[in-house]
Amino acid sequence: MASRQLVGIVTGASSGFGALIARGLAKSGHTVYAGFLQPNNDTTSVYRDAAAFSKENNCQLRGIELNVVKDALIKAAVDKVMAQEGRIDVVVHNAVLKRSKGHMSFGPAEAFTPKQFLDMYEVNCLSCQRINRIVLPHMRRVGKGLLVWISSSSVHGPSSPFLAPYFAAKAAQDSLAQTYAVELTQHGIESSIVVPGAFTQGTNHFATAMKPGDVEVENEYMEGPLKGWDNVTLEGHGKIVSPDADPAAVAEAVRQIVDTEHGKRPFRVHVEFDGGGATIVNGVRDLVRETSLTKLGLAELLKVKSV
């Protein structure tokens, strides 16, 4: 159990990583508001399931409507949490596209419309900015807080074909997280980036992937020189992932970060069962980041200020 009960919001918590993270934090003793796209009513199963989990495990897991691309709904959710708890200690940025559009994307880059790229970018990156602008004033006021960003090994790992919109959006989110990290330390706010590798169970990434909007262009690729390479890509992803790759490991990584003492949380944590490519690349990238900031005279911004 956590040494101190924190109040947290987890976006995209109706399924996948988000649901596992919200439940793991609640079981660890924190008060967790699980962000659901669906409005709350007696017939919405995600709210009933959250309430049942909370009761069965004697913990504080509460569903809350949170559409991360709607400023008014974000503000309403944050205002509700503040009214009920008086503070927000943690935000886990995990939002994904709604089920009808898919969690990620699969198809030739050229065949996706600019609107599809924008949809992916808005949910994976711009949503974080929307939430931060509403939550961070509360954290800055008390001089303490934690942002946890769920990134992806695809950001700095192998860039396999057919996943361009998702890869680009997650890269933008990771870059945003790095900048926020140094700008928030002097406000006492920590940032931790969690980097999941590839998972083939428990997430349905490819089964629900967004398909290209321009079918004509897609066919020119997939019925032409790239015919069959989509299947090779899918099979390859399946082969590189260990059968032990359990998405619950991502939730456990987040729980450990949240439960760590303020000021001692890691900047980046990898959860890879597919060879650890991102761990290697990010090791170099983050070292270059620290070295460059130090040369610029900004080393102090790498350390979170304690209240």
Side-chain angles (χ1 to χ4, degrees):
M1 294 289 286
S3 58
R4 175 174 179 261
Q5 183 190 64
L6 301 178
V7 176
I9 295 175
V10 180
T11 67
S14 61
S15 62
F17 290 148
L20 293 169
I21 291 168
R23 295 183 177 201
L25 291 178
K27 285 186 68 175
S28 191
H30 304 292
T31 298
V32 181
Y33 285 81
F36 299 144
L37 187 63
Q38 306 93 322
N40 188 4
N41 59 56
D42 293 337
T43 63
T44 307
S45 62
V46 287
Y47 291 93
R48 293 202 312 270
D49 291 345
F53 180 89
S54 185
K55 183 177 181 180
E56 291 167 6
N57 293 275
N58 191 28
C59 63
Q60 300 298 318
L61 178 64
R62 302 166 185 175
I64 191 169
E65 183 179 1
L66 182 58
N67 186 328
V68 296
V69 302
K70 302 290 186 182
D71 288 341
L73 290 179
I74 296 171
K75 186 176 186 305
V78 170
D79 287 349
K80 182 176 181 179
V81 176
M82 288 299 299
Q84 293 181 348
E85 309 296 338
R87 70 183 200 275
I88 296 173
D89 303 302
V90 182
V91 170
V92 180
H93 287 303
N94 174 71
V96 297
L97 284 178
K98 60 184 179 181
R99 185 67 65 185
S100 62
K101 293 183 178 179
H103 169 75
M104 59 164 61
S105 57
F106 194 80
E110 186 186 346
F112 289 96
T113 67
K115 178 62 165 57
Q116 288 182 298
F117 267 83
L118 182 60
D119 285 343
M120 192 68 74
Y121 177 84
E122 181 164 47
V123 174
N124 283 281
C125 182
L126 188 54
S127 70
C128 302
Q129 177 69 355
R130 292 181 185 278
I131 291 170
N132 283 353
R133 281 177 52 81
I134 295 173
V135 171
L136 285 177
H138 297 294
M139 290 185 175
R140 287 191 286 105
R141 195 169 295 119
V142 298
K144 183 178 279 190
L146 169 66
L147 301 181
V148 180
W149 307 70
I150 308 302
S151 183
S152 168
S153 63
S154 63
V155 170
H156 302 130
S159 297
S160 55
F162 309 121
L163 295 157
Y166 177 74
F167 283 0
K170 295 304 287 188
Q173 183 213 46
D174 194 287
S175 179
L176 182 65
Q178 293 182 58
T179 301
Y180 260 117
V182 291
E183 292 179 348
L184 290 173
T185 57
Q186 302 310 290
H187 291 284
I189 300 171
E190 292 180 279
S191 301
S192 290
I193 303 171
V194 177
V195 186
F199 288 86
T200 55
Q201 59 169 314
T203 55
N204 294 319
H205 284 171
F206 292 110
T208 61
M210 179 174 67
K211 305 301 182 184
D214 192 330
V215 178
E216 182 178 350
V217 171
E218 180 187 19
N219 289 338
E220 289 184 25
Y221 278 84
M222 305 319 302
E223 297 302 324
L226 288 183
K227 187 172 184 177
W229 286 103
D230 52 345
N231 291 326
V232 174
T233 300
L234 290 172
E235 291 171 3
H237 277 275
K239 290 176 181 177
I240 66 171
V241 180
S242 166
D244 298 325
D246 185 354
V250 175
E252 175 60 15
V254 174
R255 184 199 65 76
Q256 290 183 20
I257 290 170
V258 174
D259 285 353
T260 298
E261 182 183 347
H262 181 75
K264 297 183 179 180
R265 293 176 173 121
F267 172 66
R268 194 185 295 273
V269 174
H270 295 82
V271 187
E272 296 185 278
F273 295 87
D274 51 7
T279 302
I280 297 170
V281 175
N282 283 328
V284 175
R285 181 182 177 88
D286 291 342
L287 177 60
V288 170
R289 170 182 175 269
E290 291 183 16
T291 302
S292 298
L293 290 172
T294 299
K295 288 181 178 179
L296 289 169
L298 301 172
E300 192 66 23
L301 298 185
L302 293 168
K303 299 178 291 185
V304 68
K305 183 178 180 180
S306 298
V307 293

